[in-house]
Amino acid sequence: MNMEKVRDHFEQDASDYDHDILKFIPYYREQNQAMMDLIPFEGNARIRALDLGTGTGVLADFILRRYPMAEVAVLDLAENMLAAARERLGTFAERVTFQRGDFSKDEFGFGYDLILSGLSIHHLEDQAKKDLYRRIYQALNPGGLFLNRDMVLGATDRLNAVYEHLWLEYVRSMGEDPAACLERSRAEDIPACVEDQLEWLRGAGFVDVGCHWQRMNYAIFGGYKFSTENRHDERKNIV
Ligand SMILES: C[S@@+](CC[C@H](N)C(=O)[O-])C[C@H]1O[C@@H](n2cnc3c(N)ncnc32)[C@H](O)[C@@H]1O
């Protein structure tokens, strides 16, 4: 994928992103909530988190509010998206670091307890997704969690046709032009099916890999970095 094309698109869309995303992504708010529900740390945990492809900082915002001791690093290709994230996260400035970069090739640090990504990794070719999952694994602390909320393919051509039809009906119902949406998606999106991505995560070393939420061609999936320590006492919702 030509990352300049993706970056230019998000540079242009930054000012209206938070409003417009609801017209293009079905169940967007439900997805945000599902992501947060899956994060197992106690409220007073001193976690270090990373938000890859943060956009306007929506997921980072949830983390900073819920975890007053957390430090969050956010990374994005598009300067205008980062500017919107800076504005949104301004009240947490001392706990946030901002990085402009491309997560498929730029360093994004180590020592994270939590790495999130939202609607971003599907812009990478499949080999680049696999490489990124390995780098994310390396960047996590033992016991750390990776969650990806992303556009995905169905497991078969028939399912893809069903999901595409439902998505186009959704964007039409939101007043958008389905043909234009489809053309843009075909030019910029390279989704992979959930089953393949779960295998790539296992191949990278992740354990307790799973798809936790899926509706049509959107899914939330991820895994934990293997740990020999019992860190369960630091967490809730884990048996
Ligand atoms: C659809 S927005 C998602 C924003 C936010 N994460 C959310 O869940 O609403 C995708 C964002 O990912 C960024 N992005 C896409 N590919 C990227 C890459 N390779 N490196 C860094 N950021 C990237 C875009 O610039 C854009 O801001």
Side-chain angles (χ1 to χ4, degrees), residues 3 6-7 10-11 17-18 21 25 28 32 51-59 75-78 81 101-105 117-124 149:
M3 281 321 205
V6 174
R7 187 195 62 213
F10 285 109
E11 292 291 15
Y17 178 84
D18 290 330
I21 195 70
I25 310 292
Y28 179 74
N32 289 341
D51 182 6
L52 293 171
T54 192
T56 60
V58 63
L59 297 177
L75 181 151
D76 203 280
L77 270 182
M81 290 298 241
D102 177 347
F103 51 61
S104 69
K105 57 181 171 53
S117 187
L119 302 170
S120 198
I121 294 174
H122 70 274
H123 293 299
L124 300 181
R149 164 261 288 276

Side-chain angles (χ1 to χ4, degrees), residues 214-229:
Q214 180 169 6
R215 285 192 178 207
M216 299 141 57
N217 53 329
Y218 293 93
I220 299 174
F221 56 94
Y224 290 82
K225 181 161 179 167
F226 178 75
S227 168
T228 51
E229 297 167 34

